[in-house]
Amino acid sequence: MRSALHIIKNITRMLGYIIRFSPMYFISMTVFCIYVSAVDTLSGTIAVQYIFNSLQRGTDFKTVFMFLLFVTAAMVVRHIMGAYVNYLSPLAFTKIKAGINRMISRHAVKMDLEYYESPKFYNDFVWASAQADTKLGALMNTYAVLIARLSEAVFLGLVLSSIDRTTLYIMLAVILVRVIFENIYSKKYVKMEQKAKPCERRRDYFRRILYLSDYAKEIRISDMHKTLYKRFCDTMSEIKEIYRKDGRILAVYMTAARTITSGVLDASIYLYLAYNAVITKTIMFGDAAAIISSAGSFSWILTELLMTFPEFIKHSLYIDSFNDFMDTRPRLEGQQGRNILNKNGTIELKNVSFSYHGESKRSLSNIDLTIRPYEKIAIVGYNGAGKSTLTKLLMRFYDVSGGAVYYDGVNIKEYDTKEYRSNYGAVFQDYRIFAGTVAENVVMDRVRSREGIWESIESSGLGEKISELKDGIDTQLTKEFYEDGTNLSGGEEQKLAISRIFYKDCGIIILDEPSSALDPISEYRLNKTILSLSEHKTVIFISHRLSTTCMADRILMMENGEIIEEGSHAELIAKNGKYAEMFNLQAEKYRKTFQSSY
C-alpha cells in the first residue's frame, strides 16, 4: 500500500484541479459543510443541554424562546446555503469534468505513437478518461464527508470538553481502538480489491466487446459470442468468489470490532454518568442528557470520518493511473527545432534499423535509400515486410533504432516535429472518417476558408457523389450525432481520405494502400490521377496490388525488413526475382488493364 503522504499528495493534486476549474463551488461546498456541522451541534447537543439545564435552573421562558429563535434562524440560513450549493453543483461538475477531460485529451494527442503500443500506458489512458466523470464526483463527495465529519468532531469535542473532559477522554480512548481496527480493515479491503482488479478488467473487456460496433459483424457471423459469454461468466464467478471469501472474513472481523468497541463505549459512559449523577451529584441533568445524546453521535461521526480514509485510498488508486498518464512526457511530439525551408528536399536513409518497443526482432535492418525530389516511389512486399514501418520512420512517428534519416541534408531529429510533419500528406491503410462535415473531413481542421475543398474532392473522384447530397460539402457524415447523417461506402470513404492530400499544401505524399477498397480498374485510374496531379510532389505509395507499380519511377521490393530489390518495373521484371514472382501471380487479374493503357 502506498504511504499516507503519497495518498495525501494524490488527493491534494486532484482537489487542486477541482479548485482550478470551479473555485466558487469548492469554497461554497467547504463553507457549507462546516456551517452545517456547527448548526447540527447547536440544534442537537447544545440545545438539549441548554433546555434541560434551563428547566433545572428555572430560566425564564423569554430567554429560552430567544435561544430557540436563534437556533431556528441558523437552520433557515442552512437551508438557503444548501439551496445555493445545489444550484451551483450541476454547472460546477460540468465545468470540472470538461476541464479534466480537456486536459486528458490535449495530453493524449501530444503523446508519441509508441506509448499507445504499451499496455500500461493504454490502460492508464483508458482508465483516466473513462473514469474521470464518476471518480471526480466520488472524490468530491468523500471530501465533503471529510470536512463535515471533521468539523462536527471538532465542534462536538469542544462542547463535550466544556461539559466534562473525562467523558471526552473515554470516548477518544475507545475510538482510538476503533481506529486501529479500521486501519487493519482498510488494508485488508484494499488487498481484496487489488486481487479482484485483474478479473474486473477481463470482465469489462468481454462486456465491452459485445456492444462495440468494431466487433459486431464478426460476432454475428460466428459463435464467438458464446466463447466470450462463457469467459465473461467464468470471470464473474472468480470475482464473486473473491468477494464472497474475503468479504465474509472482513464482515465478521468488522462486526466483532464495532460491537466490542461500541459496547465498551456505551457501558463506560453510562457507568460514569450514573456514578456522578447518583453518587457524587456533580453533574446537571442537561449535561448528562447532552453527553448521552452525544456519545452515540460522536462515535458515529468519528467512525464516518475514519471511513473516508479507505475511500481516499481507493480514489488514490485511480489518481495513480491518472498521474502516470499525465506525467508521461513525449520524446518526439512537440519537439522544437529547425523549420522546413524546402518543401521538395531529398530524403536519405543511411543504414537505418528499427525495432518496436519491447521487441528484440528488428522490423527494419540496414536500410540505405535516397529519394530525390518529385520522384514517384512504390514500396511493395508481402505483409510484415516492413513497408508501413518505413513510412512511419520517414514521418518521424518513431525514431530510428540505428542509423539516421535526413531531409535536405539535415537529420530529421533537428527539425521541429510539427513543422517537419506538415510537409507530408498521407493516407494510411487504417484511415478514419470523422463525425463532422465533408468539408471538415477534407480540411482536417475547422473550415476557415472553402477555397480548394471542392477541387480536392473532384480530384479524388468523389465530386459526383458529394454533388448529389442535399448539403454538399456541408453534409454531416456518419450517424453518430445526426439521424440524417450520411454514411459513405468503403470506396467513397477512401476517395474522401485521398482528397485530403490534394487539399494539403505539402511536398511529399505517402499513400499506404489507400485504394484497397476499390476494384482494380478504379484503383488504377485513381492512382494514375494521383500521380498526374502530384507532378511537383514526391510520392511514396505502398501497395499489395501491383497494378500501378509500373507507373512509379522506382520500385522497392521489401522482405523481412530489408530492401531486397530496387529498380523500375521493366528492370525488375527482367531480373525475374521476387518482384517478378509477385507480379506474375497477379498478372492475370491486371493484364487487361495494362494492355488497354500501354
Side-chain angles (χ1 to χ4, degrees):
M1 185 183 294
R2 297 295 188 106
S3 68
L5 181 61
H6 175 82
I7 294 169
I8 291 170
K9 285 182 177 179
N10 272 355
I11 301 302
T12 303
R13 179 175 180 177
M14 193 59 70
L15 289 177
Y17 291 135
I18 294 173
I19 294 170
R20 184 205 303 180
F21 296 123
S22 188
M24 181 55 69
Y25 174 74
F26 183 84
I27 294 170
S28 300
M29 173 62 80
T30 303
V31 171
F32 176 66
C33 288
I34 295 172
Y35 183 78
V36 168
S37 300
V39 172
D40 285 349
T41 304
L42 175 65
S43 61
T45 302
I46 294 177
V48 168
Q49 179 196 21
Y50 182 83
I51 292 170
F52 275 93
N53 285 349
S54 295
L55 290 172
Q56 189 174 358
R57 291 169 179 159
T59 307
D60 64 284
F61 175 75
K62 182 180 178 181
T63 304
V64 175
F65 176 78
M66 293 303 295
F67 171 78
L68 294 177
L69 188 62
F70 175 74
V71 173
T72 303
M75 294 181 71
V76 170
V77 172
R78 166 189 172 169
H79 292 308
I80 293 172
M81 290 180 65
Y84 178 69
V85 171
N86 287 335
Y87 161 75
L88 286 180
S89 182
L91 179 60
F93 270 100
T94 299
K95 290 166 64 177
I96 293 167
K97 292 171 184 177
I100 293 291
N101 281 302
R102 187 164 57 247
M103 285 173 50
I104 293 171
S105 301
R106 286 178 176 174
H107 190 67
V109 298
K110 294 177 183 177
M111 301 312 299
D112 299 336
L113 278 184
E114 69 175 356
Y115 289 117
Y116 287 87
E117 293 160 5
S118 162
K120 183 184 185 308
F121 174 85
Y122 189 73
N123 288 339
D124 287 344
F125 174 39
V126 171
W127 182 249
S129 57
Q131 298 288 320
D133 289 1
T134 56
K135 292 296 182 182
L136 282 171
L139 174 61
M140 197 60 194
N141 288 337
T142 306
Y143 167 78
V145 171
L146 173 68
I147 295 300
R149 300 299 170 261
L150 190 60
S151 52
E152 284 174 4
V154 171
F155 292 137
L156 200 55
L158 290 173
V159 172
L160 290 173
S161 179
S162 67
I163 297 173
D164 188 292
R165 290 187 179 180
T166 304
T167 57
L168 180 61
Y169 296 150
I170 294 172
M171 290 182 189
L172 290 175
V174 174
I175 288 167
L176 179 61
V177 176
R178 173 78 65 85
V179 169
I180 296 171
F181 281 120
E182 293 282 357
N183 186 49
I184 297 171
Y185 176 84
S186 297
K187 290 180 179 179
K188 291 180 179 296
Y189 188 87
V190 171
K191 284 183 180 179
M192 179 181 70
E193 285 204 323
Q194 289 176 336
K195 190 189 299 184
K197 189 175 180 181
C199 299
E200 289 173 346
R201 282 181 56 196
R202 290 202 307 272
R203 174 202 64 193
D204 293 342
Y205 171 76
F206 296 133
R207 185 169 55 191
R208 187 170 66 247
I209 279 179
L210 292 174
Y211 68 74
L212 284 179
S213 60
D214 301 20
Y215 301 92
K217 293 188 290 294
E218 280 81 0
I219 286 176
R220 278 156 181 76
I221 63 169
S222 70
D223 288 332
M224 189 61 184
H225 65 280
K226 296 179 180 178
T227 300
L228 293 172
Y229 182 71
K230 184 180 185 308
R231 291 181 181 175
F232 172 79
C233 293
D234 291 343
T235 303
M236 286 299 299
S237 297
E238 288 183 56
I239 295 171
K240 284 191 284 187
E241 180 59 23
I242 290 171
Y243 282 110
R244 185 194 65 79
K245 184 178 179 181
D246 292 10
R248 184 171 57 190
I249 296 172
L250 285 171
V252 171
Y253 175 86
M254 186 47 63
T255 300
R258 290 185 178 180
T259 301
I260 292 169
T261 52
S262 295
V264 170
L265 175 62
D266 292 342
S268 301
I269 293 294
Y270 287 135
L271 285 172
Y272 176 77
L273 290 176
Y275 176 79
N276 283 282
V278 177
I279 307 299
T280 66
K281 302 185 186 301
T282 56
I283 193 167
M284 296 186 69
F285 294 149
D287 295 340
I291 291 172
I292 291 172
S293 67
S294 299
S297 297
F298 197 61
S299 176
W300 175 81
I301 287 168
L302 288 182
T303 299
E304 287 287 301
L305 181 61
L306 293 172
M307 288 306 293
T308 62
F309 299 143
E311 288 299 312
F312 279 128
I313 292 172
K314 286 190 279 186
H315 295 321
S316 184
L317 292 174
Y318 161 75
I319 297 171
D320 278 336
S321 295
F322 180 87
N323 289 344
D324 286 345
F325 170 70
M326 293 300 297
D327 292 340
T328 302
R329 292 290 173 260
R331 293 185 301 103
L332 307 182
E333 301 301 322
Q335 177 181 306
Q336 297 181 343
R338 302 172 60 158
N339 291 332
I340 294 288
L341 300 178
N342 177 15
K343 286 185 175 294
N344 303 111
T346 299
I347 303 170
E348 295 178 273
L349 287 81
K350 295 183 178 180
N351 197 31
V352 166
S353 298
F354 177 74
S355 298
Y356 285 99
H357 180 73
E359 294 185 8
S360 56
K361 182 182 177 182
R362 287 183 174 183
S363 297
L364 295 176
S365 300
N366 310 316
I367 301 292
D368 288 300
L369 174 65
T370 299
I371 303 175
R372 294 175 288 276
Y374 316 124
E375 196 172 12
K376 316 306 180 200
I377 301 291
I379 304 177
V380 301
Y382 294 104
N383 288 336
K387 307 183 297 297
S388 295
T389 300
L390 180 60
T391 61
K392 289 174 184 176
L393 294 182
L394 292 180
M395 289 182 280
R396 210 189 170 203
F397 286 136
Y398 302 92
D399 269 339
V400 297
S401 304
V405 179
Y406 297 87
Y407 179 82
D408 213 21
V410 178
N411 192 316
I412 64 173
K413 293 181 180 181
E414 297 182 25
Y415 286 109
D416 180 281
T417 305
K418 186 174 182 180
E419 168 78 9
Y420 175 73
R421 291 204 194 120
S422 69
N423 195 39
Y424 284 88
V427 181
F428 302 106
Q429 188 174 2
D430 53 352
Y431 66 90
R432 288 290 182 265
I433 300 300
F434 297 92
T437 65
V438 172
E440 288 169 338
N441 270 278
V442 173
V443 176
M444 296 294 281
D445 196 352
R446 286 181 297 169
V447 180
R448 298 177 177 85
S449 170
R450 303 168 77 84
E451 183 181 355
I453 296 176
W454 182 252
E455 291 81 357
S456 302
I457 291 171
E458 285 193 315
S459 297
S460 69
L462 195 59
E464 184 178 350
K465 171 66 178 179
I466 301 303
S467 64
E468 293 174 354
L469 301 176
K470 183 179 68 171
D471 296 322
I473 63 173
D474 296 314
T475 300
Q476 290 286 340
L477 296 180
T478 80
K479 297 183 181 295
E480 185 79 22
F481 306 116
Y482 300 92
E483 290 185 6
D484 59 348
T486 297
N487 286 323
L488 301 176
S489 68
E492 290 165 347
E493 286 186 347
Q494 285 192 322
K495 290 178 180 178
L496 180 62
I498 289 168
S499 68
R500 295 166 181 167
I501 63 172
F502 292 130
Y503 178 82
K504 189 173 184 180
D505 180 22
C506 58
I508 304 168
I509 293 175
I510 292 180
L511 305 168
D512 190 351
E513 301 198 74
S515 52
S516 58
L518 303 178
D519 61 82
I521 301 298
S522 298
E523 178 190 43
Y524 176 79
R525 289 172 178 166
L526 179 60
N527 284 337
K528 192 171 183 180
T529 301
I530 292 173
L531 292 176
S532 65
L533 293 175
S534 305
E535 182 181 356
H536 300 295
K537 298 178 187 290
T538 302
V539 180
I540 303 168
F541 60 92
I542 297 172
S543 180
H544 282 95
R545 296 176 178 174
L546 306 185
S547 59
T548 53
T549 53
C550 57
M551 292 186 287
D553 299 323
R554 194 154 42 111
I555 301 166
L556 309 176
M557 178 72 188
M558 294 192 68
E559 186 175 75
N560 297 324
E562 297 181 347
I563 298 173
I564 59 171
E565 295 179 11
E566 182 178 345
S568 67
H569 173 72
E571 290 170 344
L572 294 181
I573 289 295
K575 189 177 181 180
N576 200 28
K578 289 282 187 178
Y579 173 81
E581 177 186 349
M582 187 176 184
F583 183 84
N584 289 328
L585 288 173
Q586 301 179 17
E588 187 62 34
K589 185 185 297 183
Y590 301 128
R591 185 171 289 118
K592 292 182 180 180
T593 301
F594 292 122
Q595 287 175 348
S596 63
S597 303
Y598 283 86

